[in-house]
Amino acid sequence: MKKIIINGGRPLKGEVTISGAKNSVVALIPATILADEIVTLDGVPDISDVASLIDIMILMGAKVERDGETLVIDPRGVQDMPMPFGKINSLRASYYFYGSLLGRYGQATVGLPGGCDLGPRPIDLHLKAFEAMGAKMTMDGSSMNLSTNGERLRGTAIYMDTVSVGATINTILAAVKAEGRTVIENAAREPEIIDVATLLNNMGAHIRGAGTDIITIEGVDYLHGTRHQVIPDRIEAGTYIALAAAVGEGIQINNVLYEHLESFIAKLEEMGVRMTISEDSVFVEKQENLKAVHIKTSPYPGFATDLQQPLTPLLLTANGKGSIVDTIYQKRVNHVAELMRMGATIETVSDRIVYQGPNQLTGAPVKATDLRAGAALVIAGLMAQGKTEITNVEFILRGYSHIIEKLQQLGADIKLIGEA
């Protein structure tokens, strides 16, 4: 079993560079299946989710070459075949293969997706969109089969009952080669959706309105190759900004797009965090006398659900009482019990997190229950006095590229030990 060992209480300083966006690349890689030529992706993060996607693509017949942060994908040999259950079951974003395979072949057989356990995350919206475009669904054990019975998907008007990033992207993927026009209303607006639409448009797709709540796709017959730069990971950026405010003595975070983090940075400013924002970087000063705040997550451009857990350790340093309400994943509270093991004054009251600070954390054995909870425990371990041992670190490695090396360069006493 792999573990992360942290000897905390050491101030950190220096620079760190943010990698490409996990939540983009897990859709961009399946999107290349739609291409009729070679596609190159730059800025691909070195995370286990990407490794799983590459394995799946190769098993399907694609040729994939990796050189550092660059992926060269030749999808022309991809065959419509059932997806390998083991890889799919560990990867929530595997559902993007539904849209890509439907768009290319008119059918897809994929195991039910896995990923972090954050409570119900139904794919009903995805299926509703596919069915509206002419696909039929059947279940075979743990696999789902979607088929158009040899016909081309057809464009139509689709209204999303709730705002969903995954369903919005999947519908775009299916619609790009559909016959006619597809209009998605109440679409999600996240930057990762714009990133996927940019890739597809550079391949010859006709997508308008990405980043707004109405997206229009005119179907095309052919998508050529292109080269695409993945956007910076706004969740990784927010994680390191929170870390810098919690334990830093002057840390610069590079490759940051401020406009993707406005609501997060506004909440830090409300706390009294001192930082200097430049065109593509944020410098975070050493902090003192922070103020407790109340946080409520909401769809973009609101406060991101993925950032409430990494921010929690910083909140524990603030003066006063505060709360966190996650309207996206109400059950995203598993980090609370682990922080309590470290001495935090924090509890969950009816899915609402309530905390009081300031706190001095103490190192303890803790367990990462999901990706962003794991990031919270890393920050807490760096803040704490003594040794913190984190297990279930596979969750952390799913989404944070070279996290151990990046923290060591800032001066952290942190190491990864053991075997998978």
Side-chain angles (χ1 to χ4, degrees):
M1 180 186 295
K2 288 184 178 180
K3 299 178 182 179
I4 290 176
I5 307 295
I6 303 171
N7 290 304
R10 296 178 53 154
L12 308 184
K13 57 185 174 182
E15 295 187 22
V16 64
T17 299
I18 299 306
S19 301
K22 167 195 176 288
N23 290 339
S24 277
V25 81
V26 295
L28 294 169
I29 292 173
T32 64
I33 289 173
L34 292 162
D36 298 289
E37 298 174 10
I38 293 172
V39 176
T40 300
L41 301 177
D42 294 314
V44 176
D46 184 9
I47 55 177
S48 61
D49 271 11
V50 166
S52 295
L53 286 167
I54 291 172
D55 288 346
I56 293 169
M57 293 287 288
I58 292 172
L59 284 168
M60 293 172 65
K63 294 179 181 178
V64 184
E65 295 179 8
R66 182 166 196 165
D67 182 9
E69 294 188 342
T70 297
L71 276 188
V72 180
I73 302 172
D74 184 348
R76 290 174 291 188
V78 168
Q79 314 233 344
D80 171 37
M81 58 181 284
M83 296 292 92
F85 179 77
K87 295 287 184 185
I88 292 295
N89 195 44
S90 67
L91 186 68
R92 182 68 191 177
S94 60
Y95 53 43
Y96 291 129
F97 285 107
Y98 298 164
S100 294
L101 290 170
L102 265 178
R104 176 164 173 173
Y105 292 109
Q107 63 181 31
T109 302
V110 185
L112 295 176
C116 295
D117 182 11
L118 301 175
R121 294 198 283 179
I123 59 169
D124 297 359
L125 290 176
H126 306 237
L127 302 180
K128 177 184 173 183
F130 297 150
E131 289 173 349
M133 298 169 72
K136 304 295 182 186
M137 182 200 74
T138 56
M139 291 296 298
D140 179 14
S142 59
S143 295
M144 181 184 303
N145 180 262
L146 295 159
S147 176
T148 61
N149 295 320
E151 297 184 7
R152 189 174 174 185
L153 288 170
R154 58 181 182 271
T156 187
I158 297 168
Y159 183 86
M160 295 289 172
D161 293 333
T162 59
V163 176
S164 167
V165 176
T168 298
I169 291 176
N170 236 343
T171 305
I172 292 172
L173 295 175
V176 163
K177 284 190 168 181
E179 184 176 355
R181 173 183 293 180
T182 301
V183 179
I184 307 170
E185 295 186 71
N186 199 30
R189 299 162 56 188
E190 272 72 1
E192 293 79 11
I193 294 169
I194 300 173
D195 205 21
V196 173
T198 300
L199 169 72
L200 293 168
N201 281 339
N202 289 341
M203 290 159 56
H206 295 156
I207 304 166
R208 300 193 317 275
T212 75
D213 60 357
I214 300 178
I215 300 174
T216 303
I217 306 107
E218 300 282 353
V220 298
D221 296 324
Y222 189 90
L223 292 175
H224 54 74
T226 191
R227 186 161 198 149
H228 178 79
Q229 177 70 44
V230 182
I231 61 172
D233 193 317
R234 62 193 172 98
I235 307 303
E236 185 190 18
T239 299
Y240 279 99
I241 292 170
L243 179 152
V247 293
E249 290 192 344
I251 294 178
Q252 178 159 308
I253 299 100
N254 298 317
N255 196 30
V256 177
L257 292 179
Y258 163 73
E259 56 267 32
H260 292 173
L261 286 164
E262 287 187 69
S263 59
F264 175 75
I265 288 176
K267 189 58 68 171
L268 293 183
E269 290 174 337
E270 182 184 338
M271 292 180 68
V273 173
R274 299 187 305 277
M275 53 194 148
T276 302
I277 297 166
S278 303
E279 184 177 352
D280 60 356
S281 66
V282 175
F283 179 79
V284 183
E285 302 174 26
K286 182 178 179 179
Q287 307 301 318
E288 55 187 21
N289 297 323
L290 297 181
K291 181 177 68 173
V293 293
H294 300 284
I295 290 171
K296 186 175 183 179
T297 71
S298 59
Y300 188 85
F303 192 101
T305 175
D306 279 358
L307 282 173
Q308 64 96 339
Q309 289 166 296
L311 184 63
T312 304
L314 175 64
L315 297 176
L316 295 173
T317 70
N319 295 295
K321 293 182 180 180
S323 65
I324 304 170
V325 176
D326 197 323
T327 67
I328 312 298
Y329 299 129
Q330 287 82 7
K331 300 296 183 183
R332 201 167 203 165
V333 297
N334 290 337
H335 58 306
V336 171
E338 303 304 307
L339 292 170
M340 290 174 68
R341 294 178 195 274
M342 302 176 73
T345 304
I346 187 170
E347 62 179 336
T348 304
V349 181
S350 301
D351 297 337
R352 180 171 171 262
I353 299 171
V354 179
Y355 68 92
Q356 182 169 349
N359 292 256
Q360 174 56 64
L361 302 182
T362 303
V366 291
K367 179 175 66 176
T369 53
D370 59 77
L371 168 57
R372 307 304 173 184
L377 295 179
V378 169
I379 297 174
L382 294 168
M383 293 165 50
Q385 293 297 324
K387 181 172 128 180
T388 297
E389 181 180 289
I390 306 174
T391 54
N392 277 16
V393 300
E394 288 75 15
F395 282 117
I396 301 169
L397 303 179
R398 282 188 50 228
Y400 288 92
S401 182
H402 299 294
I403 185 170
I404 303 299
E405 295 86 345
K406 288 180 180 181
L407 291 174
Q408 287 173 342
Q409 289 171 6
L410 293 174
D413 185 347
I414 182 172
K415 60 185 176 180
L416 178 67
I417 63 170
E419 300 296 328

